Amino acid sequence: MSDGLVEELTTDVLVIGGGGAGTYAALRAGDCNPTLDITLVVKGFVAQSGCTRMVQGGYNAVLDPADSFELHFGDTLKGGGFINNQELAWVLVTEAPERIRELENRFGCFFDRHPDGRIHQKPFAGQSFDRTVHRGDLTGIEIMQRLKDQVFSRPNLRRLEEHRALDLLLSPDGQRVVGAVVLDMRRGTFAVVRARATVVATGGGATMYRIAAPSLEKAGDGAAMLYRAGVLMMDMEMMQFHPTGLLAGRSRLTGSVLEEGLRGAGGHLRNALGERYMERYDAQRMERSTRDVVARASYMEIQAGRGTANGGVWLDVSHLGAELVEQKFPGMVERCRGVGFDLAREPVEISPTAHFHMGGARIDAACRTSLAGLLVAGEDASGVHGANRLGGNGVAESIVFGARAGAAAATACAEAGQGACDPAFVRAVVQRTTALLGRDAGEDAYALREELGALTWDHFGLVRSADGLQKGLAQLADLRERAERISVHGGPRFNLEWQQALDVRNLVELARLVAEAAVARTESRGSHYRNDHPETDNARWLCNVLLRRHGDRPRLWTEPVLLTRMSPFAAAAGRG
């Protein structure tokens, strides 16, 4: 296939994504079969990019004898509005403790402990027990640094850093994934990576919004690739907004999360009038309500004119005492001081921030998708969290299902040889990618990214309506067309403007899927709130919204949720 423009690489397992799920998948595949050749494609650097390293709060696991799998499972389903895949949620809660022990005893992670040696677990919103394992408020850095050590010690694990996957390669019949086309961002060259098993774990695309929490390189690459390849997707309307994103003007820290433990420890949310406004939205749980409720409450306060001059509200933990705040939340104190706030002694200005996508590829318990040879783990997958993710369940999902995806990839390698791919498809991907370069005139990638952020925030954000969604989709169609006319200056070598243009293309694609699914779900549930359908409708909408590419448009339909372990009706009656 090589024609001087495209290199070729053959591997057993291709893992796309270097965060918690991707890294763990690569390590577990090698553990299952040390003879496998494994290639890890990372858009940034292993353990120094992605969202797992940004996790502050921690990892939910049942460790205390007074806690139970049933309690954690029930909290997860209730938080998810009961549209979770219950078998996946059960895997999460039952395997999370085992992975914690592995992280500690095998990979060398240090987690906070009580004086008697027991792992310390702190409270998080939406949970009936304090089960969040942590390393201060910098848990993700601790986990990813230890995983990075493991990755660098494995001779059979090849790292392609600063490489982005462009599209998945399909077999001639379109039923099997046989690798991917990737771009070396440093050199501006392309490669075909052929693999017997492929794992996609790139993280989400919440960066489509004006205020967003994920790392900057996250651009919905995985979801866009999966959709273009024809993978069955589910619950794409479910985009979570974290309640406490820092407001810091035009700084890149705007949108970065102030961790949930601040509210769990007793922090107060106040509007510009000084009111603890959560009394209006959840008088029982107040600031410890679930993320969807708290984020929407803050948004509604701002929209009602009770927000700050900068369009935010206030988070106040100063009443807890400066010494306690500085001791328990050193990372958050440092983050706030970086933009002129003293978290320990004064209120800090915050806003809801786009945070996590519960939608993605539909998977089974082994992370298999609708296409053979393709596994998906982490935020690129759907089903575990339903309509809303509990804080602390995200990094647990990445580790638990990263391990499962790696094991499944090793098994798939034993069952399949190297597949053939279509050279014409590769040439088409390269041509579409390079077409942006060297144009004398065209659209500006950075301006389009800002337009997209405003459009999604206003029309596809925390509060939605049929009218707003349709207006947004009409504007998005124009934006999608303009994204194909972006003009990129300079050549292909380490061209950040080119990477921004490719990000915009994927984010626009993903935004359309979110909006189309949001139009379809005519109720409110979890993170999806329709002010024209404000009630949760279990009679009609206890189901998942599925979609698949059909020509140039997504085809959508619904399927009932399988209540294999717990019913919302029994839970409401106190029997769940």
Side-chain angles (χ1 to χ4, degrees):
M1 181 183 299
S2 178
D3 57 5
L5 294 174
V6 181
E7 301 174 18
E8 292 188 36
L9 175 67
T10 300
T11 191
D12 294 315
V13 177
L14 169 62
V15 179
I16 303 171
T23 303
Y24 223 91
L27 294 172
R28 180 51 54 90
D31 289 342
C32 291
N33 184 350
T35 69
L36 291 176
D37 181 87
I38 301 165
T39 300
L40 182 61
V41 171
V42 187
K43 198 174 179 183
F45 296 96
V46 174
Q48 292 176 258
S49 58
C51 290
T52 307
R53 68 174 297 276
M54 300 173 70
V55 170
Q56 303 144 359
Y59 177 125
N60 293 340
V62 174
L63 301 177
D64 192 302
D67 197 7
S68 70
F69 292 149
E70 289 74 18
L71 276 176
H72 188 187
F73 181 69
D75 290 342
T76 300
L77 293 193
K78 292 168 189 174
F82 277 91
I83 64 166
N84 319 59
N85 178 312
Q86 296 196 6
E87 297 311 303
L88 296 183
W90 186 251
V91 167
L92 174 76
V93 304
T94 55
E95 294 190 6
E98 184 180 347
R99 297 284 78 78
I100 277 287
R101 286 187 281 271
E102 184 173 58
L103 285 168
E104 272 207 317
N105 300 330
R106 185 177 178 208
F107 295 151
C109 288
F110 288 92
F111 299 116
D112 287 6
R113 291 183 174 273
H114 292 283
D116 64 4
R118 291 177 297 118
I119 288 179
H120 182 268
Q121 294 177 275
K122 63 183 176 182
F124 253 33
Q127 299 189 64
S128 56
F129 198 89
D130 297 351
R131 63 171 66 94
T132 305
V133 177
H134 63 106
R135 174 68 167 172
D137 58 355
L138 298 172
T139 311
I141 289 176
E142 175 66 20
I143 291 173
M144 291 310 300
Q145 188 57 46
R146 302 290 82 78
L147 296 185
K148 177 183 176 181
D149 295 342
Q150 292 294 317
V151 168
F152 277 68
S153 71
R154 305 287 180 97
N156 65 329
L157 205 167
R158 180 189 299 106
R159 305 183 311 277
L160 298 181
E161 296 179 302
E162 291 190 314
H163 283 62
R164 72 180 298 157
L166 297 170
D167 268 305
L168 297 173
L169 291 170
L170 298 179
S171 59
D173 64 2
Q175 299 304 303
R176 171 175 286 276
V177 171
V178 295
V181 184
V182 304
L183 170 63
D184 181 338
M185 297 159 64
R186 300 173 188 169
R187 297 189 298 152
T189 58
F190 298 87
V192 167
V193 184
R194 295 174 58 215
R196 292 195 283 163
T198 301
V199 179
V200 173
T202 70
T207 51
M208 73 173 71
Y209 291 92
R210 178 170 59 85
I211 301 174
S215 56
L216 294 176
E217 77 276 4
K218 294 298 174 188
D221 298 332
M225 285 191 297
L226 293 166
Y227 170 71
R228 288 194 294 266
V231 174
L232 181 60
M233 313 292 281
M234 186 170 81
D235 295 337
M236 297 300 287
E237 72 276 19
M238 296 302 178
M239 181 69 73
Q240 181 182 85
F241 291 77
H242 196 286
T244 50
L246 186 62
L247 274 187
R250 298 284 292 179
S251 164
R252 287 187 174 184
L253 279 179
T254 282
S256 59
V257 167
L258 297 181
E259 71 128 312
E260 196 155 293
L262 293 165
R263 290 186 290 120
H268 295 166
L269 292 172
R270 298 188 185 276
N271 59 25
L273 305 178
E275 300 170 323
R276 279 186 73 188
Y277 54 85
M278 283 308 300
E279 293 178 353
R280 283 193 276 272
Y281 304 93
D282 189 341
Q284 181 178 356
R285 294 182 293 183
M286 295 288 286
E287 286 87 0
R288 289 188 64 176
S289 188
T290 52
R291 286 178 174 177
D292 57 319
V293 173
V294 180
R296 192 159 52 246
S298 299
Y299 180 82
M300 288 178 169
E301 290 294 303
I302 295 164
Q303 293 300 106
R306 294 187 289 270
T308 65
N310 294 318
V313 290
W314 299 103
L315 171 65
D316 188 4
V317 295
S318 61
H319 58 279
L320 301 177
E323 183 178 352
L324 181 147
V325 173
E326 290 174 340
Q327 177 186 359
K328 294 186 68 174
F329 304 102
M332 298 299 93
V333 170
E334 184 68 23
R335 173 169 292 180
C336 290
R337 282 178 178 164
V339 290
F341 290 122
D342 188 348
L343 176 68
R345 296 170 178 82
E346 64 181 4
V348 172
E349 198 169 14
I350 61 163
S351 164
T353 181
H355 184 56
F356 187 92
H357 198 184
M358 280 74 67
R362 186 164 77 168
I363 62 169
D364 67 9
C367 299
R368 293 175 297 219
T369 67
S370 59
L371 293 179
L374 175 66
L375 300 308
V376 176
E379 198 175 349
D380 282 326
S382 67
V384 175
H385 308 294
N388 182 53
R389 176 174 71 76
L390 294 184
N393 272 0
V395 67
E397 177 200 20
S398 293
I399 301 304
V400 167
F401 287 94
R404 284 192 156 231
T411 299
C413 284
E415 300 170 349
Q418 292 287 349
C421 63
D422 181 5
F425 175 79
V426 176
R427 287 192 292 271
V429 171
V430 172
Q431 192 281 327
R432 182 171 182 256
T433 305
T434 56
L436 304 170
L437 292 168
R439 288 176 176 165
D440 294 332
E443 296 285 346
D444 180 86
Y446 297 98
L448 287 188
R449 180 74 174 261
E450 290 214 4
E451 281 191 47
L452 177 65
L455 185 161
T456 52
W457 188 266
D458 291 341
H459 297 301
F460 311 154
L462 290 96
V463 176
R464 301 162 174 175
S465 68
D467 182 60
L469 288 164
Q470 293 297 348
K471 286 180 179 177
L473 278 166
Q475 295 175 31
L476 193 63
D478 175 65
L479 204 59
R480 189 167 181 253
E481 183 180 325
R482 292 166 60 197
E484 296 301 319
R485 303 198 304 268
I486 291 174
S487 173
V488 174
H489 302 86
R493 291 177 181 268
F494 208 78
N495 188 328
L496 297 182
E497 186 180 18
W498 192 22
Q499 302 310 316
Q500 181 74 264
L502 298 175
D503 287 350
V504 168
R505 278 180 168 177
N506 283 340
L507 289 171
V508 168
E509 192 82 81
L510 181 57
R512 180 171 68 157
L513 303 184
V514 170
E516 294 275 13
V519 169
R521 186 177 287 277
T522 54
E523 64 150 1
S524 293
R525 186 182 299 267
S527 63
H528 171 72
Y529 184 81
R530 290 276 301 260
N531 62 13
D532 51 349
H533 297 281
E535 302 301 322
T536 298
D537 184 356
N538 281 332
R540 294 179 59 246
W541 279 105
L542 198 61
C543 53
N544 302 114
V545 176
L546 292 103
L547 66 83
R548 195 196 302 266
R549 182 179 179 182
H550 184 70
D552 192 45
R553 296 197 59 80
R555 182 174 71 87
L556 288 86
W557 68 98
T558 62
E559 292 182 5
V561 173
L562 298 178
L563 304 175
T564 55
R565 294 177 180 269
M566 180 183 287
S567 162
F569 311 108
R575 300 190 301 273

